[in-house]
Amino acid sequence: MSSDPDKMMSKADKMTKLTLTRWSADWRGATELYEQAANGFRASNKYEKAKVALEKASKGQEMQASPWDAAKHMESAAALAQKLSIWNEVADFYRKASELYIECGRAQPASDALGKAARALEDVKPDDAIQLYTDACEILEEDGRDQMAFDLYRACANVYIKLEKFTDAATFFLRLGVAADKCDATNSQCKAYLSAIIVYLYAHDLKQAEKCYNDCSQIDAFMKSDQSRSASRLLTAYNEGDIEEIKKVASSSTVSNLDHSIIKLARKLPTGDVTAIQMNTNDDLDEDDLT
Amino acid sequence: MPVIDIIFRVDEICKKYDKYDIDKQRELGASGDDAFSRLYTSIDSDIEAVLRKAELASTEKNRAAAVAMNAEVRRTKARLAEDVVKLQKLAVKKVKGLTREEQESRCDLVISLADRIQVIPDGNEHAAKQASNDWGGGASAPNKNIKFDMSEEDMDDGFFQESEESSQFRQEYEMRKKKQDEGLDVISEGLDALKNLARDMNEELDKQVPLMEEMETKVDGATSDLKNTNVRLKKQLVQMRSSRNFCIDIVLLCVVLGIVSYIYNALN
């Protein structure tokens, strides 16, 4: 076997092409050559060619009915594509890898692959990243492993917050709450609800925040928790226009245990919201005014 | 004269003058038939015991023990008071062989007994005195004998003014209370942080549990596979390395070496 990866590639290609002399493709040999070629290319830093080689190796494994190896090769190819910043290929490769993992019946690696893809695309193509996160969460939920989905939900909500789509972020936190409820993870559930309320407040949507709080109060676990107390304090502070109180709640330990992005929002809370507070105080004057 | 004679003489003299021995007469009287004297003597001895206890209680340093003893004394006093009532009823009854004067004297005895019981100190007077002092100012209308405690001269401006000492004391108290509150706040924050950490750790461990179980089953499968493989390998090796094959191998090796050396020699 020649040690030159290019030669190996061409040889392997020939093995797989069907001609008059070759009636069935020798996938085993071809796959081996592709793998070796890919290693050679990687060693010599020719990432583009390595990626192509890995793609073909993966195809070979697939033909040999070993989806696990095929998926592994796809993931490596995707990682190389990420290094080369070819973003649509990143997404495609990781999706393919995920499908192959599902074929193996392994949901966790499948969702991991999609999660890796989403993380790679977070900054560049956030919408795709969100879609990937959602798909990853669905895979896990179907398999009944909701607990693993918590991190994905949180990451997805963070992306939404970065995009300033606050209602969507809050929705995702509520979905986190549902998943946590299924696994009896009360702490995560309460933290998720509190995060949703804070997000609504940051979006100047006091009514929505109150509605959210009322909905969540139906749940026993949330009602009895520290987080619900902080939420009610926050909402009453908002209704009374008490900036000091808002700041105090935002710097309390309950809020400081949430995600970093939420803490940042909470710290900024009252300053983003002065007009709403004034509206509230005007309402108070109207109530006092008996004429 | 010999000692025994002296003893006998002393005994005689004692017997002669027994009627002057008060304690003995009382005992004899106590062993009398009627219920009155029996009850009287028993109450008498109880009163003595209670008096002793009351003395002990007044000298007791430990407040809790003193209070307990006073309570005991009060209980016994109540019981004795009931007994005195019974005694009174008995005293009024007519008994055979009793003169009229003795009957009257019995009633007097009962009354004196009741008084003695009342007099026993049981720690209440101290409290009663304090209470009467506090209430000296009010509730004077129904009972004209109660006088106001404070006199008019004391009611000048300086009477209710807080002294420097007391205001300093109050300030110090407030400061210490504030410091305590601050300390407690710090502790509470620390506890909050700990609680959150603990809960997160709890959830993380819960997440890991099914993973560990899966890993366990997989590793169990892998170990059993490995064991099987090892056993089979061992069998194969044993078969291959059985002595017969080994000897044959050596013999053939020697034969080959012999042939090679022959050819070598032949060539040279």
Side-chain angles (χ1 to χ4, degrees):
Chain A
M1 291 286 165
S2 60
S3 54
D4 185 13
D6 285 308
K7 284 215 189 112
M8 279 196 268
M9 285 289 288
S10 47
K11 195 153 183 201
D13 281 332
K14 267 188 249 170
M15 277 202 215
T16 57
K17 241 183 271 213
L18 296 173
T19 59
L20 284 172
T21 50
R22 198 186 276 279
W23 286 48
S24 66
D26 177 18
W27 283 111
R28 186 128 54 95
T31 316
E32 266 177 47
L33 285 170
Y34 281 133
E35 281 168 16
Q36 282 172 6
N39 288 336
F41 282 132
R42 236 198 298 230
S44 49
N45 291 347
K46 291 188 193 154
Y47 294 125
E48 175 68 48
K49 294 205 179 156
K51 179 172 70 73
V52 171
L54 281 170
E55 257 184 277
K56 296 198 178 154
S58 160
K59 181 104 195 305
Q61 293 285 13
E62 219 185 307
M63 289 298 167
Q64 286 182 281
S66 55
W68 180 259
D69 294 312
K72 276 252 155 345
H73 287 314
M74 261 306 169
E75 270 199 75
S76 324
L80 286 171
Q82 189 180 342
K83 230 188 253 189
L84 295 167
S85 309
I86 310 175
W87 304 117
N88 55 347
E89 280 199 1
V90 168
D92 288 334
F93 287 167
Y94 272 125
R95 269 195 200 278
K96 189 96 205 296
S98 158
E99 280 164 30
L100 288 164
Y101 279 128
I102 295 180
E103 240 183 79
C104 297
R106 308 280 293 278
Q108 183 67 45
S111 107
D112 281 342
L114 289 180
K116 276 188 234 173
R119 226 160 290 143
L121 294 177
E122 249 177 26
D123 296 317
V124 189
K125 281 191 180 184
D127 297 310
D128 288 348
I130 288 170
Q131 186 58 41
L132 287 162
Y133 274 130
T134 331
D135 294 338
C137 296
E138 274 170 18
I139 293 176
L140 283 173
E141 281 180 353
E142 269 173 30
D143 205 43
R145 290 160 169 265
D146 297 272
Q147 286 156 327
M148 305 295 158
F150 292 169
D151 294 320
L152 293 167
Y153 277 126
R154 274 198 279 260
C156 189
N158 281 338
V159 172
Y160 269 127
I161 289 174
K162 258 194 265 178
L163 294 174
E164 309 221 335
K165 291 191 185 159
F166 295 116
T167 15
D168 294 320
T171 324
F172 259 91
F173 276 122
L174 293 172
R175 275 176 72 174
L176 212 189
V178 168
D181 194 44
K182 260 194 265 172
C183 332
D184 286 330
T186 43
N187 199 23
S188 291
Q189 190 181 7
C190 301
K191 290 207 294 201
Y193 290 145
L194 184 58
S195 312
I197 293 173
I198 291 180
V199 164
Y200 277 131
L201 285 174
Y202 189 77
H204 319 313
D205 204 346
L206 183 58
K207 293 223 172 23
Q208 192 63 267
E210 286 193 345
K211 206 160 77 81
C212 184
Y213 177 68
N214 287 335
D215 289 337
C216 300
S217 320
Q218 309 280 341
I219 300 169
D220 274 339
F222 182 66
M223 217 45 234
K224 284 189 258 178
S225 68
D226 285 336
Q227 281 86 5
S228 83
R229 252 176 278 141
S230 301
S232 72
R233 273 171 68 192
L234 208 50
L235 286 169
T236 38
Y238 253 87
N239 278 322
E240 291 166 6
D242 188 357
I243 300 188
E244 279 303 311
E245 180 67 21
I246 295 176
K247 282 216 193 292
K248 234 201 310 175
V249 174
S251 48
S252 74
S253 63
T254 321
V255 168
S256 308
N257 278 307
L258 303 171
D259 283 340
H260 288 301
S261 43
I262 305 290
I263 298 177
K264 272 187 258 173
L265 291 184
R267 299 277 156 82
K268 289 195 214 149
L269 256 184
T271 55
D273 218 356
V274 185
T275 50
I277 293 172
Q278 280 190 346
M279 209 166 62
N280 284 331
T281 50
N282 281 338
D283 283 346
D284 284 351
L285 282 174
D286 285 337
E287 280 176 28
D288 290 337
D289 192 1
L290 293 173
T291 54
Chain B
M1 79 179 51
V3 176
I4 191 97
D5 271 338
I6 297 180
I7 293 177
F8 273 131
R9 273 193 153 204
V10 167
D11 273 335
E12 287 283 307
I13 297 173
C14 282
K15 262 191 233 160
K16 202 169 164 194
Y17 293 104
D18 248 344
K19 59 181 175 186
Y20 299 111
D21 188 347
I22 307 173
D23 287 333
K24 222 175 183 178
Q25 290 294 6
R26 210 190 283 169
E27 265 178 52
L28 282 175
S31 59
D33 295 330
D34 63 337
F36 178 83
S37 19
R38 258 181 281 145
L39 196 53
Y40 182 81
T41 39
S42 80
I43 293 184
D44 212 15
S45 43
D46 281 337
I47 292 178
E48 300 284 306
V50 167
L51 270 167
R52 274 200 291 275
K53 234 186 264 178
E55 267 176 47
L56 264 175
S58 60
T59 53
E60 177 68 47
K61 286 274 176 27
N62 183 353
R63 301 281 292 283
V67 166
M69 282 196 211
N70 280 332
E72 178 77 35
V73 162
R74 264 176 261 147
R75 251 206 322 271
T76 340
K77 265 171 74 172
R79 194 170 50 81
L80 288 174
E82 285 172 19
D83 287 338
V84 159
V85 169
K86 269 190 244 162
L87 195 63
Q88 220 166 16
K89 282 199 210 131
L90 280 175
V92 181
K93 253 200 260 176
K94 290 237 192 264
V95 184
K96 249 196 265 181
L98 209 62
T99 63
R100 232 177 166 209
E101 289 134 358
E102 279 201 359
Q103 194 95 14
E104 279 166 22
S105 66
R106 277 192 177 183
C107 296
D108 290 330
L109 279 170
V110 170
I111 295 172
S112 69
L113 216 54
D115 285 332
R116 274 169 72 191
I117 292 175
Q118 288 279 28
V119 166
I120 296 176
D122 62 357
N124 262 340
E125 301 97 36
H126 199 60
K129 245 191 260 174
Q130 275 185 336
S132 67
N133 270 343
D134 288 339
W135 278 101
S140 62
N143 194 346
K144 296 216 178 75
N145 290 332
I146 294 179
K147 289 219 173 65
F148 282 111
D149 248 346
M150 30 192 198
S151 52
E152 289 300 319
E153 301 108 47
D154 288 336
M155 291 287 275
D156 58 2
D157 286 327
F159 192 67
F160 291 118
Q161 195 71 20
E162 59 180 17
S163 66
E164 205 178 293
E165 281 177 1
S166 71
S167 61
Q168 246 182 8
F169 184 74
R170 181 180 280 274
Q171 263 176 356
E172 206 183 312
Y173 156 77
E174 302 266 322
M175 246 175 32
R176 290 207 184 166
K177 189 158 159 222
K178 219 177 10 163
K179 275 212 192 111
Q180 240 187 17
D181 283 341
E182 281 170 20
L184 284 173
D185 280 334
V186 168
I187 292 177
S188 111
E189 272 181 39
L191 281 176
D192 264 337
L194 275 176
K195 181 172 103 154
N196 268 298
L197 277 173
R199 284 193 160 191
D200 284 339
M201 278 202 284
N202 184 25
E203 288 199 348
E204 196 56 44
L205 286 171
D206 282 339
K207 263 196 233 178
Q208 309 279 349
V209 162
L211 295 177
M212 293 296 286
E213 284 172 358
E214 224 186 275
M215 223 165 56
E216 205 182 318
T217 37
K218 284 196 188 161
V219 166
D220 281 341
T223 37
S224 58
D225 276 341
L226 211 61
K227 272 196 203 150
N228 276 342
T229 317
N230 276 344
V231 163
R232 278 168 39 204
L233 198 65
K234 204 170 180 185
K235 261 196 265 177
Q236 287 279 17
L237 279 177
V238 162
Q239 217 181 15
M240 269 199 9
R241 280 224 193 142
S242 65
S243 351
R244 192 167 56 117
N245 291 349
F246 201 55
C247 292
I248 293 176
D249 286 339
I250 291 182
V251 161
L252 285 173
L253 206 62
C254 296
V255 165
V256 164
L257 277 174
I259 293 175
V260 165
S261 58
Y262 183 68
I263 293 174
Y264 189 67
N265 284 338
L267 279 174
N268 282 0

